[in-house]
Amino acid sequence: MTMAIALVSAVLAFWLAAALYCQLRLEINLHQALLYAPLKVLFRIEDGAIGTARTAEPPVIYAIWHRSRLEPALMLALLPSDTLHILDEDSARAWWLDPWRALARTIVFNAHHVFVSRRLVRRLRGKGRLAVYLPDDETPDPKAFRLFRAIARIAANAEARVVPIHVQGAGRSFFALAPQEKRQFLPHLNICTLEPLTIGEMVAQAAEAEKPMAANAMFDRLMAVRRPLPEKQEEPEAA
């Protein structure tokens, strides 16, 4: 019995220490840190890039590729607590996500009924933050692409910056929504982001001579964050 109590105490002490470390390094609140720390340890998450998202000046839209059930939990724990998360129906109702949903305000989004919400535009204009979760499809059909058009219009109407976010490795986990790769028990995860840009800046930066439409420019920007990072090359051994 004494050994069991000591073991539980040691685990709790390690959890608290890891949470305090995450809180100080990432500048999240303690509640967020307590729920993020276990994920950080289990999935060995590289999260240095999340600072780009956290420090983005509002109005801002976090556009997150939704490849697994991990992204909502991670973003609720890592993004500023005043962010409004627009979740799909599955993430909004999953019982195991209850602790993470308590970290920020969430609303349910039905991808089949896409519209430009004036309430969301007003929230953004009032220096708000939105997190939207995009279906994992590199070649969306015209019906699915309406979601990107709606987000681009909301961002343009509110003059909001868009921060693309992609969690590399999530598609290999057992939490993957539609795994296309060999699953791993606890894959290494890497959170990738790009600098925040307005829709106008995305269009202006497009390489094409004929500038793309707003939604296409945003989609290209979101695709850019999915590109795999170059592998670290081993340094040659000293002679």
Side-chain angles (χ1 to χ4, degrees):
M1 185 67 176
T2 304
M3 183 176 293
I5 293 175
L7 180 60
V8 171
S9 299
V11 170
L12 292 176
F14 175 76
W15 184 6
L16 180 59
L20 290 173
Y21 170 77
C22 292
Q23 180 187 16
L24 293 173
R25 190 173 65 85
L26 300 173
E27 298 183 353
I28 56 182
N29 64 49
L30 183 58
H31 191 183
Q32 289 178 303
L34 285 169
L35 290 175
Y36 174 64
L39 300 176
K40 165 74 173 176
V41 173
L42 289 173
F43 291 97
R44 309 175 307 285
I45 301 172
E46 292 187 33
D47 51 22
I50 200 64
T52 300
R54 288 190 54 82
T55 58
E57 289 293 328
V60 62
I61 297 176
Y62 303 112
I64 303 131
W65 284 108
H66 194 188
R67 306 189 72 186
S68 75
R69 294 176 176 84
L70 290 171
E71 283 92 355
L74 289 172
M75 294 304 114
L76 283 160
L78 289 172
L79 294 178
S81 57
D82 61 346
T83 303
L84 174 62
H85 293 256
I86 305 177
L87 302 177
D88 65 283
E89 295 181 358
D90 178 64
S91 298
R93 293 179 170 82
W95 62 268
W96 68 273
L97 268 174
D98 280 348
W100 284 271
R101 283 197 298 265
L103 296 173
R105 186 183 171 197
T106 65
I107 59 175
V108 184
F109 173 72
N110 187 336
H112 298 290
H113 297 85
V114 182
F115 63 95
V116 178
S117 169
R118 294 181 181 178
R119 290 178 60 188
L120 296 181
V121 172
R122 286 197 300 270
R123 182 181 180 89
L124 286 168
R125 286 178 176 171
K127 301 298 182 181
R129 303 173 189 267
L130 299 181
V132 295
Y133 297 81
L134 302 163
D136 181 43
D137 190 351
E138 297 186 14
T139 56
D141 57 35
K143 184 177 180 180
F145 196 73
R146 290 186 303 172
L147 177 58
F148 294 91
R149 286 199 296 269
I151 295 170
R153 286 185 60 190
I154 291 172
N157 291 346
E159 298 181 355
R161 297 174 179 85
V162 178
V163 179
I165 300 177
H166 174 52
V167 182
Q168 288 187 358
R172 297 193 301 271
S173 73
F174 282 91
F175 294 91
L177 297 174
Q180 299 176 352
E181 307 171 64
K182 185 177 179 180
R183 289 199 179 195
Q184 298 178 14
F185 180 56
L186 292 172
H188 170 76
L189 302 183
N190 183 19
I191 299 175
C192 303
T193 66
L194 293 177
E195 292 294 328
L197 293 179
T198 64
I199 296 297
E201 289 170 335
M202 293 179 194
V203 173
Q205 288 188 6
E208 295 87 348
E210 184 176 343
K211 296 302 181 183
M213 300 292 289
N216 297 89
M218 189 189 76
F219 181 78
D220 291 341
R221 179 72 174 171
L222 296 177
M223 286 300 300
V225 80
R226 294 174 64 111
R227 294 170 188 153
L229 297 176
E231 295 183 0
K232 295 181 180 178
Q233 297 183 350
E234 296 183 1
E235 295 182 1
E237 296 181 359

